[in-house]
């Protein structure tokens, strides 16, 4: 424990942001990190609890009290080693994870959790700046070859662990660049692609081979991987978006959120978008349907593109401003969350449903919306439309951000004939991550459904150990 009275003497404070008027003019990172002295102060607030609920709340099981203590004492390099022992990519999680660890922090019982996310980010950023992050090349190579399909956080974590175990790993990615959702889906103002590229360089030095433009199941037969590799890991995303059917759904101006976000990622990267495919919302009224992180990303991107108004709709009722800690802590609470994108200029409305898309000459012009009342019927929340509550709002673009139902079945999964669970995800346990097919494994969103980057990294790491055990009969990779 760093400073026994630290949590009593030092208040919580977070990183800052550049002013809204400045940051909405670009797609770069706008976080103003804490100076090193203040990071160490925040680390001193860690109580080193008898039961570290932060550790329990973190899906990758980061050893948070240990690296908090090391940072407080100025032992940054050792803190980096502890951080890397559970997390392959802390520069990703330190930026885009919603920090369930902080929700579980004992000090969060008084709304003053340790600034864990800031400390994590400071450790890895200092590690890169000091040159401490170097390739970890396996001392001995095996003759085993493993194919990893999908280069998101699950696929990359799995590939890196397997390469460090000495296997020859090839990562197949359908897009033109490696990174999966990290590169094409998360806005650059939340995660700049230079952070991805330097990790890929490290992994290449460790022996991982990347094959972009390789759509397994479309232009590359999936069965070919079974013939050429000793094991295959299916680590693609959950990419089948949830639709919202209503009268007028065929009108021009209605798009899936990921099509919109991915296109902006490509635009920032300098890629040309065909004019007939461009989704630009400049000087238009935008409605984002869905209140989650993807919807928030659509809000921030729309504002940066110069939308004249942005409205975000949510079918669920407005959550409370503050949770009841006696009922929720140390679990992730349901409460109102306002993102930096919301703060940049967005109207939000809750407990509403889209009744119809309205347009003229084939183009969207407005939405007809009705208000809902949520009632408890037989112990279940049921929505009931409030009579005569319909109203219209202007909408020239609607971005559907209501999540994803399961991985795309056509192509890869249908060709392999792999068994699916009742939700349409690949059936595989968290014990061995094996699918219904011999030597085929699955991890990440393709197995568990739409989830967080921290869950993807955890599953990728655990799947790598399962594959290593399958190939070698034992494994020294961490559990």
């Amino acid at each position: 424990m760093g400073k026994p009275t630290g949590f009593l003497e030092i208040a919580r404070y977070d990183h800052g942001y550049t002013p809204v008027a400045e940051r909405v003019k670009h797609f770069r990172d706008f976080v103003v990190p804490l100076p090193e002295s203040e990071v160490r102060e925040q680390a001193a607030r860690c109580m080193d609890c008898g039961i570290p609920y932060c550790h329990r709340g973190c899906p990758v099981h980061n050893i948070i009290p240990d690296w908090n203590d090391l940072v407080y004492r100025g032992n940054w390099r050792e803190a980096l080693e502890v951080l890397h022992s559970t997390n392959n990519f802390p520069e990703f999680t330190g930026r885009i994870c919603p920090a369930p660890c902080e929700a579980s922090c004992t000090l969060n019982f008084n709304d003053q959790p340790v600034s864990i996310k800031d400390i994590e980010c400071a450790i890895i950023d200092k590690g890169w700046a000091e040159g401490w992050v170097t390739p970890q090349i396996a001392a001995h190579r095996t003759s085993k070859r493993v194919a990893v399909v999908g280069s998101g956080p699950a696929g990359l974590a799995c590939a890196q662990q397997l390469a460090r175990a000495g296997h020859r790993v090839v990562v197949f990615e359908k897009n033109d660049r490696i990174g999966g959702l990290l590169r094409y889906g998360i806005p650059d103002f939340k995660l700049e692609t230079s952070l991805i590229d330097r990790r890929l360089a490290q992994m290449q030095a460790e022996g991982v081979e990347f094959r972009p433009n390789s759509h397994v199941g479309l232009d590359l037969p999936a069965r070919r991987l079974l013939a050429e590799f000793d094991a295959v890991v299916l680590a693609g995303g959950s990419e089948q978006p949830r639709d919202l059917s209503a009268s007028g759904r065929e009108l021009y101006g209605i798009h899936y959120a990921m099509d919109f976000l991915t296109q902006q990622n490509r635009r920032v990267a300098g890629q040309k978008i065909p004019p007939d495919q461009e989704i630009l919302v400049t000087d238009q009224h935008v409605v984002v349907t869905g209140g989650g992180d993807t919807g928030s990303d659509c809000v921030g991107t729309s504002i940066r593109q110069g939308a004249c108004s942005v409205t975000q709709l949510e079918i669920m009722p407005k959550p409370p401003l503050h949770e009841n800690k006696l009922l929720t802590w140390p679990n992730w609470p349901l409460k109102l969350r306002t993102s930096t994108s919301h703060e940049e200029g967005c109207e939000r409305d809750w407990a509403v449903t889209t009744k119809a898309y309205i347009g003229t000459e084939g183009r969207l012009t407005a939405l007809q919306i009705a208000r809902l009342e949520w009632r408890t019927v037989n112990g279940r929340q049921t929505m009931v439309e409030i009579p005569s509550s319909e109203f219209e709002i202007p909408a020239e673009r609607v971005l559907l951000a209501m999540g994803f139902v399961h991985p795309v079945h056509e192509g890869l999964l249908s060709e392999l004939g792999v068994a699916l669970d009742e939700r349409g995800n690949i059936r595989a346990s968290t014990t061995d991550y094996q699918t219904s097919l011999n030597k085929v494994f699955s991890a990440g969103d393709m197995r568990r459904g739409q989830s967080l980057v921290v869950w993807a990294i955890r599953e990728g790491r655990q799947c790598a150990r399962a594959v290593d055990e399958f190939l070698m009969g034992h494994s020294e990779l961490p559990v």
Side-chain angles (χ1 to χ4, degrees):
M1 184 172 183
K3 187 174 184 180
T5 57
F7 70 98
L8 295 172
E9 300 169 5
I10 304 167
R12 171 189 166 94
Y13 42 87
D14 301 293
H15 59 262
Y17 303 103
T18 57
V20 170
E22 178 183 332
R23 72 189 192 224
V24 297
K25 297 177 181 177
H26 60 76
F27 282 86
R28 300 185 303 275
D29 184 9
F30 53 83
V31 170
V32 180
L34 293 173
E36 182 174 318
S37 60
E38 294 184 9
V39 173
R40 293 180 63 181
E41 273 195 341
Q42 287 301 296
R45 299 182 66 243
C46 182
M47 301 171 67
D48 193 16
C49 310
I51 299 176
Y53 291 101
C54 59
H55 181 75
R56 171 187 177 276
C58 174
V60 294
H61 293 161
N62 276 332
I63 311 172
I64 296 165
D66 290 37
W67 44 256
N68 277 341
D69 178 64
L70 290 165
V71 166
Y72 167 68
R73 299 178 186 279
N75 299 326
W76 288 89
R77 188 159 191 170
E78 191 176 346
L80 179 66
E81 292 174 1
V82 175
L83 178 56
H84 267 149
S85 70
T86 59
N87 188 350
N88 293 68
F89 314 120
E91 64 270 42
F92 303 160
T93 55
R95 286 171 168 83
I96 62 176
C97 177
C101 54
E102 294 190 14
S104 295
C105 177
T106 301
L107 289 175
N108 187 44
F109 204 79
N110 293 326
D111 294 316
Q112 291 287 307
V114 174
S115 304
I116 299 170
K117 190 172 172 180
D118 279 343
I119 299 168
E120 175 184 20
C121 214
I123 295 170
I124 184 59
D125 287 353
K126 188 175 182 66
W128 280 108
E130 296 290 340
W132 299 335
V133 184
T134 57
Q136 299 180 30
I137 301 173
H140 303 284
R141 293 289 182 186
T142 72
S143 60
K144 305 298 184 180
R145 302 182 72 226
V146 182
V148 176
V149 182
S151 68
L156 291 181
C158 185
Q160 186 167 58
Q161 293 296 95
L162 287 170
R164 291 175 176 177
H167 305 305
R168 296 175 60 193
V169 184
V170 181
V171 176
F172 295 87
E173 169 57 51
K174 65 181 179 181
N175 286 303
D176 58 333
R177 300 185 187 185
I178 300 295
L181 186 67
L182 296 170
R183 186 178 298 274
Y184 292 130
I186 295 175
D188 293 73
F189 57 79
K190 289 177 63 176
L191 182 68
E192 294 189 344
T193 54
S194 60
L195 303 179
I196 305 170
D197 293 335
R198 67 185 182 185
R199 272 297 177 186
L200 298 182
Q202 179 199 35
M203 292 178 64
Q204 285 180 309
E206 293 171 347
V208 178
E209 179 185 347
F210 295 113
R211 296 187 189 175
N213 294 311
S214 299
H215 196 160
V216 180
L218 183 62
D219 52 28
L220 177 62
R223 292 287 175 179
R224 183 171 147 190
L225 300 187
L226 299 182
E228 295 181 0
F229 292 87
D230 298 291
V232 176
V233 177
L234 306 180
S238 178
E239 295 185 302
Q240 188 67 50
R242 183 173 283 107
D243 202 353
L244 179 57
S245 297
S247 173
R249 177 62 179 85
E250 74 285 352
L251 291 169
Y252 175 79
I254 305 169
H255 313 276
Y256 289 118
M258 204 50 61
D259 294 338
F260 173 67
L261 295 173
T262 296
Q263 191 178 103
Q264 184 57 45
N265 286 135
R266 295 183 182 278
R267 195 176 288 113
V268 172
Q271 300 178 38
K272 298 296 183 182
I273 310 298
D276 61 332
Q277 298 178 18
E278 278 209 316
I279 309 174
L280 283 170
V281 301
T282 308
D283 297 326
Q284 295 180 347
H285 295 287
V286 178
V287 175
V288 179
T289 305
D293 289 340
T294 302
S296 171
D297 293 344
C298 288
V299 170
T301 301
S302 297
I303 290 170
R304 282 161 178 78
Q305 286 189 5
C308 65
S309 74
V310 182
T311 303
Q312 187 174 22
L313 305 179
E314 170 59 58
I315 196 170
M316 299 299 293
K318 185 176 181 178
L321 189 61
H322 299 288
E323 72 272 33
N324 185 334
K325 293 287 173 44
L326 291 175
L327 295 177
T328 62
W329 183 85
N331 297 317
W332 183 253
L334 174 65
K335 67 176 182 178
L336 181 64
R337 302 179 191 277
T338 300
S339 70
T340 55
S341 292
H342 294 141
E343 293 170 348
E344 291 165 1
C346 169
E347 294 292 329
R348 291 196 277 176
D349 204 349
W350 288 267
V352 292
T353 184
T354 299
K355 296 282 289 181
Y357 303 98
I358 302 170
T360 57
E361 299 181 352
R363 300 182 70 92
L364 181 72
T365 59
L367 284 187
Q368 184 187 59
I369 298 171
R371 299 208 172 273
L372 302 172
E373 180 182 354
W374 285 84
R375 302 172 183 170
T376 301
V377 179
N378 296 325
R380 297 181 61 182
Q381 286 288 302
T382 304
M383 62 180 185
V384 178
E385 184 178 324
I386 299 175
S388 304
S389 66
E390 296 92 347
F391 63 101
E392 291 185 10
I393 60 173
E396 293 157 284
R397 298 278 185 171
V398 166
L399 305 175
L400 302 177
M402 301 170 294
F404 304 86
V405 291
H406 51 63
V408 174
H409 294 162
E410 294 75 19
L412 170 64
L413 301 188
S414 59
E415 181 187 340
L416 289 176
V418 64
L420 305 175
D421 64 18
E422 64 279 359
R423 296 181 299 155
N425 301 316
I426 295 176
R427 180 179 296 146
S429 74
T430 54
T431 303
D432 57 17
Y433 287 89
Q434 290 203 44
T435 71
S436 59
L437 302 179
N438 181 44
K439 76 177 186 179
V440 178
F441 300 76
S442 184
D445 288 5
M446 191 170 263
R447 190 206 70 83
R448 66 176 290 115
Q450 177 187 350
S451 191
L452 303 175
V453 64
V454 276
W455 277 108
I457 293 173
R458 172 181 173 173
E459 293 218 348
R461 289 170 60 90
Q462 291 183 331
C463 182
R465 179 181 172 87
V467 172
D468 192 32
E469 287 181 338
F470 170 80
L471 295 175
M472 308 304 293
H474 67 281
S475 178
E476 296 181 359
L477 290 175
V479 179

